[in-house]
């Protein structure tokens, strides 16, 4: 399974290796070899030990899986974590978040907030995230410097936003950034029309034309609440998803975030167009937005990925915890204990996220030839014993504090719980200083 005699850069020897593809497989006492940032070998431990490697790492009691993929969030909003809790979505947005953004969001805010989010995500086993926030060029710089992987969506709304005075200007900036970064190995630029109620048909048409030309993805909040759908039907006689379908936006490059309201017609449209759904269970629970019927979507063949949403409405960027919530909630919503089992939940948090971004040939599973984006979870602790199925223990009995090591493109970004490229103390101090300024308690 190894293609040449050149030595491996790194050979990992975990107790369990969960490739995600093929589905449901757990490989015990296997090794994984990395060369030039890609997976070059997967095979039994005995065969692995015969290979020449510059570095060999034993990972006893650890489960090696693909890195987690956080398929929706607003990274810089980490600096608004806990600012306006226990409120419904529109009150939260209109009375608290939008005014705070108007007052505080600038390039420095986005830089510091994005770095905070990147560090939190790396420590939680996330190797790739989808971001949708203002000043995307600043966020891209943060991702570039961190060594992480990301899809960065430029938010586009009908009214001015921080960093762009109009929808046309936001679209121009997105096209320019797409061009600048189209050959970047770890960053993908997407278009982010905010939501059906903030973007007109004319602007959606422009976005569709450009995205088609560039073969770019579109990332959008859709059917987040029953109120959003009801209001659209009252005003136009059309459900928002049907409108997006009519305008030609839906398709394999479209990421529909939230989707808590799904009629039979909506489901047919999702299936027919091969649109991906991004499920954000904890944000939806906290804002009482509704429940995405994950099992129904899954059984119909819709690709469902998972996201944390921003830390201002979650309040953490803990994708492992999010996946556990998703699995539990899927069972309650479907009325079936067999809905979204642990192995499928892990697939939702890895390969399905990659598929939503069009990156499934590069990341999302541990397969020879793919990028070495991986995370090692330590299952040796008291709370994980005894282990019958390590994937069940990971999803149902393990917290993100068990993330021990993490690699992106074969490079270690977390080593024995320590960030290798970022200064945790500095990030914490910066976040505290922002909190004092925003709350009016700074000196």
């Amino acid at each position: 399974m190894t293609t040449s005699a050149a030595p491996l850069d790194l050979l990992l020897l975990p107790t369990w290796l969960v490739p995600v593809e093929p589905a449901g497989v757990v490989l015990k006492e296997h090794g994984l070899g990395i060369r030039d940032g890609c997976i070059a070998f997967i095979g039994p431990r005995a065969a692995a030990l015969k290979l020449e490697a510059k570095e060999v790492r034993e990972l006893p009691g650890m489960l090696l899986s693909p890195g987690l993929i956080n398929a929706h969030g607003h990274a810089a909003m980490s600096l608004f974590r806990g600012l306006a809790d226990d409120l419904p979505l529109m009150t939260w947005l209109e009375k608290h978040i939008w005014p705070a953004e108007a007052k505080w969001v600038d390039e420095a805010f986005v830089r510091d907030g994005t770095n905070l989010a990147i560090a939190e995500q790396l420590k939680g086993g996330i190797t790739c995230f989808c971001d949708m926030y203002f000043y995307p060029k600043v966020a891209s710089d943060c991702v570039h410097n961190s060594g992480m992987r990301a899809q960065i969506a430029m938010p586009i709304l009908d009214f001015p936003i921080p960093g762009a005075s109009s929808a046309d200007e936001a679209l121009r900036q997105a096209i320019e950034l797409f061009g600048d970064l189209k050959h970047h190995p770890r960053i993908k630029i997407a278009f982010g029309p905010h939501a059906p109620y903030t973007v007109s048909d004319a602007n959606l048409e422009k976005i569709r034309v450009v995205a088609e030309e560039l073969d770019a993805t579109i990332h959008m909040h859709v059917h987040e609440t029953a109120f959003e759908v009801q209001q659209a039907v009252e005003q136009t006689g059309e459900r928002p998803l049907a409108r997006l379908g009519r305008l030609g936006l839906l398709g394999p490059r479209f990421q529909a975030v939230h989707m808590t309201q799904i009629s039979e017609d909506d489901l047919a449209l999702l299936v027919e167009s091969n649109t991906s759904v991004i499920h954000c269970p904890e944000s939806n629970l906290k804002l009482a937005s509704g429940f995405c019927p994950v099992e129904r979507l899954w059984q119909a063949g819709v690709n469902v990925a998972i996201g944390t949403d921003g830390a201002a409405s979650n309040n953490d960027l803990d994708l492992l915890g999010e996946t556990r919530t998703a699995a539990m909630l899927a069972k309650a919503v479907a009325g079936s204990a067999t809905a979204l089992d642990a192995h499928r939940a892990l697939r939702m948090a890895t390969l399905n996220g990659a598929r939503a971004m069009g990156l499934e040939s590069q990341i999302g599973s541990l397969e020879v030839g793919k990028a070495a984006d991986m995370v090692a979870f330590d299952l040796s602790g008291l709370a994980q014993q005894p282990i019958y199925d390590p994937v069940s223990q990971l999803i149902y009995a393990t917290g993100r504090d068990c993330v021990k090591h993490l690699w992106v493109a074969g490079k270690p970004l977390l080593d024995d719980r320590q960030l290798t490229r970022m200064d945790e103390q500095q990030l914490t101090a910066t976040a505290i200083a922002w909190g004092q300024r925003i709350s009016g308690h700074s000196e």
Side-chain angles (χ1 to χ4, degrees):
M1 286 178 79
T2 183
T3 49
S4 84
L8 297 167
D9 297 323
L10 176 63
L11 176 64
L12 300 173
L13 298 163
T15 299
W16 302 278
L17 193 151
V18 180
V20 173
E21 183 61 49
V25 170
V26 176
L27 302 172
K28 199 150 193 250
E29 302 301 337
H30 272 58
L32 181 146
I34 300 166
R35 189 187 297 113
D36 298 329
C38 293
I39 299 168
F41 170 87
I42 297 174
R45 183 185 170 94
L49 287 170
K50 290 178 183 158
L51 300 172
E52 192 186 341
K54 294 173 192 170
E55 185 188 352
V56 178
R57 284 196 83 160
E58 294 279 357
L59 302 174
M62 291 189 215
L63 180 156
L64 188 70
S65 92
L68 303 179
I69 295 175
N70 184 358
H72 176 67
H74 311 282
M77 290 184 86
S78 295
L79 293 179
F80 290 142
R81 190 195 318 260
L83 180 67
D85 282 337
D86 308 316
L87 297 166
L89 175 67
M90 293 319 291
T91 310
W92 177 80
L93 273 176
E94 291 170 357
K95 297 281 193 318
H96 299 273
I97 296 303
W98 285 346
E101 286 178 336
K103 183 170 183 184
W104 295 107
V105 174
D106 58 13
E107 293 195 7
F109 178 98
V110 170
R111 184 191 63 238
D112 293 344
T114 303
N115 282 331
L116 178 66
I118 287 172
E120 180 185 350
Q121 291 182 99
L122 289 173
K123 292 198 77 175
I126 296 166
T127 52
C128 177
F129 69 104
C130 294
D131 190 38
M132 181 199 217
Y133 208 58
F134 312 119
Y135 298 104
K137 184 178 185 325
V138 176
S140 301
D141 290 343
C142 294
V143 173
H144 172 78
N145 294 334
S146 73
M148 205 176 180
R149 198 180 298 276
Q151 170 189 283
I152 308 278
M154 173 85 200
I156 301 166
L157 295 87
D158 285 346
F159 39 87
I161 57 170
S165 61
S166 66
D168 283 344
E169 190 184 334
L171 192 56
R172 262 201 314 279
Q173 286 181 22
I175 294 165
E176 192 178 320
L177 196 55
F178 186 96
D180 290 347
L181 295 175
K182 67 180 173 198
H183 299 303
H184 197 287
R186 293 179 285 103
I187 300 173
K188 186 169 172 154
I189 298 301
F191 294 86
H194 170 258
Y197 55 88
T198 51
V199 191
S200 67
D201 281 10
N203 283 327
L204 286 173
E205 289 271 17
K206 289 177 191 171
I207 292 164
R208 177 187 60 77
V209 169
V210 172
E212 272 179 9
E213 276 176 19
L214 300 175
D215 195 24
T217 47
I218 299 174
H219 189 85
M220 186 177 193
H221 303 101
V222 187
H223 289 206
E224 186 167 1
T225 63
F227 173 74
E228 172 199 326
V229 178
Q230 180 195 334
Q231 195 178 39
V233 170
E234 283 171 7
Q235 290 172 0
T236 66
E238 192 175 34
R239 289 170 75 83
L241 193 75
R243 174 180 162 226
L244 296 174
R246 173 173 58 77
L247 293 171
L249 273 84
L250 302 182
R253 288 190 308 263
F254 191 88
Q255 301 154 13
V257 182
H258 295 300
M259 290 304 298
T260 69
Q261 314 296 313
I262 299 179
S263 67
E264 287 304 319
D265 287 348
D266 294 334
L267 183 60
L269 205 47
L270 291 169
V271 171
E272 186 190 316
S273 62
N274 203 12
T275 291
S276 285
V277 168
I278 315 298
H279 178 38
C280 304
E282 291 183 5
S283 173
N284 292 344
L285 283 166
K286 185 161 176 276
L287 295 166
S289 297
F291 310 114
C292 176
V294 171
E295 186 69 10
R296 192 165 138 230
L297 290 170
W298 193 295
Q299 296 303 337
V302 176
N303 180 55
V304 186
I306 188 161
T308 59
D309 210 346
S313 66
N314 183 301
N315 290 5
D316 57 38
L317 306 179
D318 176 3
L319 202 76
L320 186 60
E322 198 79 32
T323 304
R324 182 181 185 178
T325 300
M328 303 282 200
L329 192 61
K331 297 172 195 313
V333 170
S336 165
T338 61
L340 199 64
D341 60 76
H343 282 265
R344 282 195 289 146
L346 181 60
R347 192 180 186 87
M348 190 160 90
T350 53
L351 189 57
N352 288 9
R355 184 164 288 135
M357 288 186 283
L359 294 177
E360 69 271 28
S361 64
Q362 298 166 50
I363 59 170
S365 57
L366 302 181
E367 298 178 71
V368 171
K370 282 196 170 185
D373 288 18
M374 306 169 301
V375 57
F377 297 96
D378 187 353
L379 302 186
S380 65
L382 178 83
Q384 281 77 39
Q385 309 314 316
I387 296 175
Y388 303 111
D389 176 349
V391 176
S392 272
Q393 293 307 66
L394 176 66
I395 300 300
Y396 296 124
T398 302
R400 61 176 168 173
D401 53 336
C402 292
V403 172
K404 196 84 167 173
H405 310 291
L406 177 143
W407 299 263
V408 173
K411 293 188 169 58
L413 301 187
L414 189 76
D415 187 35
D416 199 16
R417 300 275 315 135
Q418 298 302 307
L419 294 164
T420 62
R421 292 196 186 187
M422 302 180 91
D423 183 336
E424 197 169 333
Q425 281 180 302
Q426 183 59 56
L427 289 166
T428 304
T430 301
I432 289 170
W434 271 106
Q436 288 172 338
R437 279 180 65 197
I438 291 167
S439 62
H441 295 151
S442 60
E443 297 308 312

